[in-house]
Amino acid sequence: MSTYVEPILLEFEPLEEPWCKYQLSDGSVLYVRVVLVRAGRLPIYDNIGQPLYQFLHSVLLSVKPEPNMRKPPTIPPPTEREIVETSEEVQIARTIDERSSRYRLEDGTTAEFRPVITSVKRSSKFDSFWVPIYYVTWQIVSKLDIPKALWKKETKP
């Protein structure tokens, strides 16, 4: 017996997929973009009658370092564990641009997704572009605007 609920898969179109930009305390700029990969509406409703949704995202990361921070690539390329073990915490000094990625789902719902950076660490290892490798952790914050026509109808006792 399955305990999973099958979602209704929904097509969607991107309205905006901006890069969020953060100035790091080491002088580098961190670029982060949330991209929606799949969307589904579940046949389940919350306590006020709105349908629940399921999303699959991909998070793109890039770093533009200060020119003096670049060094030859680490050979062989490091494992994820080596990156973490050779990393030091870097702070977000300021937010340059932080806008949500926005999508319109085929059912009329508008979905927004924004990354919240929880940790940034810079490794002593370097990638093939001569850029220090950063280890970044994040959470995704979502906001939905669901048309009332999709809400569960109230039943009066």
Side-chain angles (χ1 to χ4, degrees):
M1 182 172 167
S2 175
T3 59
Y4 294 101
V5 177
E6 184 178 356
I8 299 162
L9 294 179
L10 299 172
E11 295 290 324
F12 57 88
E13 66 173 298
L15 301 175
E16 184 177 18
E17 290 178 330
W19 284 103
C20 296
K21 300 174 195 162
Y22 306 93
Q23 181 78 52
L24 301 178
S25 58
D26 65 3
S28 298
V29 177
L30 172 65
Y31 295 82
V32 184
R33 178 181 283 170
V34 179
V35 176
L36 182 60
V37 176
R38 184 169 291 143
R41 187 177 69 233
L42 299 170
I44 301 172
Y45 298 85
D46 67 13
N47 60 348
I48 63 169
Q50 293 183 1
L52 299 180
Y53 288 80
Q54 185 175 350
F55 298 104
L56 176 62
H57 316 89
S58 186
V59 177
L60 306 177
L61 300 168
S62 184
V63 175
K64 181 180 179 188
E66 291 288 312
N68 64 341
M69 295 175 65
R70 298 181 70 203
K71 292 186 179 175
T74 302
I75 306 293
T79 63
E80 187 172 357
R81 182 174 181 150
E82 289 173 319
I83 292 167
V84 172
E85 289 177 342
T86 62
S87 293
E88 292 184 7
E89 191 81 23
V90 178
Q91 301 301 314
I92 294 177
R94 73 182 178 92
T95 300
I96 299 169
D97 188 2
E98 190 176 59
R99 291 175 287 138
S100 298
S101 291
R102 296 177 47 241
Y103 299 87
R104 182 168 328 283
L105 308 183
E106 73 174 283
D107 68 3
T109 297
T110 301
E112 296 185 21
F113 306 101
R114 184 176 53 81
V116 174
I117 307 303
T118 56
S119 173
V120 181
K121 296 180 180 180
R122 184 187 68 235
S123 173
S124 60
K125 308 293 184 182
F126 291 80
D127 68 15
S128 62
F129 288 91
W130 294 45
V131 172
I133 298 172
Y134 287 76
Y135 187 80
V136 181
T137 58
W138 65 85
Q139 294 181 358
I140 304 296
V141 175
S142 60
K143 177 183 172 188
L144 301 177
D145 183 12
I146 304 169
K148 292 229 179 186
L150 296 175
W151 291 30
K152 186 176 183 179
K153 305 297 183 227
E154 273 191 292
T155 55
K156 306 275 178 174

